[in-house]
Amino acid sequence: TPGATRTPTPRPTAVIPTLTARPSRTPTPTDTLAPPPTDPPTATPPPTRTPGPGDVCGAVVEQRSRRPLGRVRVWLYRSEEPLGVTRTVDNGTFCFLALPHGRYDVRAERTGCTTLQHPVDVVGGMRYLDLEMTCRRFQAHLPLAVKRKRVR
């Protein structure tokens, strides 16, 4: 009919999917946020480190000639208790490895030489000792009577 008002017919609307929350999961280390920045560090001294094991190495030489002494017995003592013994090699060197920190005594002995004792502190790293021993001079003794053969 003319003059009648028409009501619009409802049009179908498109269905818009709604976003649902994701299922919860456990956070991984990469998901965690870094802590907020803090104030700059104050001027406190760094903590002192406990010294680790150390080595005591060295060389034994004859005091006058400065030649290396081989086959010298070198003892390592702590509180008058022997911890180890070694012999120097041909070039006069010796070594004690992986010692806990503390105070030790190194003694060198050889027949015909004075016994030498030297205190050493081990605080990690390597300590090198130059030990000089005084030795008496050995002289070759010739027999008093030498037989001579006559050659004809």
Side-chain angles (χ1 to χ4, degrees), residues 63-141:
Q63 187 175 22
R64 283 177 258 161
S65 67
R66 304 290 299 163
R67 68 180 170 87
L69 295 174
R71 310 229 0 113
V72 175
R73 280 188 304 193
V74 181
W75 292 82
L76 183 70
Y77 286 88
R78 185 170 190 178
S79 302
E80 297 300 321
E81 282 188 41
L83 294 179
V85 65
T86 186
R87 288 193 183 265
T88 59
V89 293
D90 291 337
N91 64 359
T93 59
F94 66 93
C95 212
F96 294 102
L97 303 175
L99 301 171
H101 67 280
R103 187 168 189 83
Y104 296 89
D105 285 323
V106 175
R107 291 183 191 166
E109 301 174 346
R110 183 175 175 184
T111 305
C113 299
T114 58
T115 300
L116 183 70
Q117 182 171 345
H118 193 289
V120 63
D121 289 325
V122 176
V123 290
M126 185 179 86
R127 285 292 310 266
Y128 190 82
L129 303 174
D130 280 323
L131 303 176
E132 297 179 357
M133 295 183 80
T134 305
C135 299
R136 67 174 183 252
R137 294 185 185 248
F138 293 103
Q139 302 201 0
H141 298 286

Side-chain angles (χ1 to χ4, degrees), residues 26-37:
T26 57
T28 60
T30 57
D31 291 339
T32 58
L33 299 174

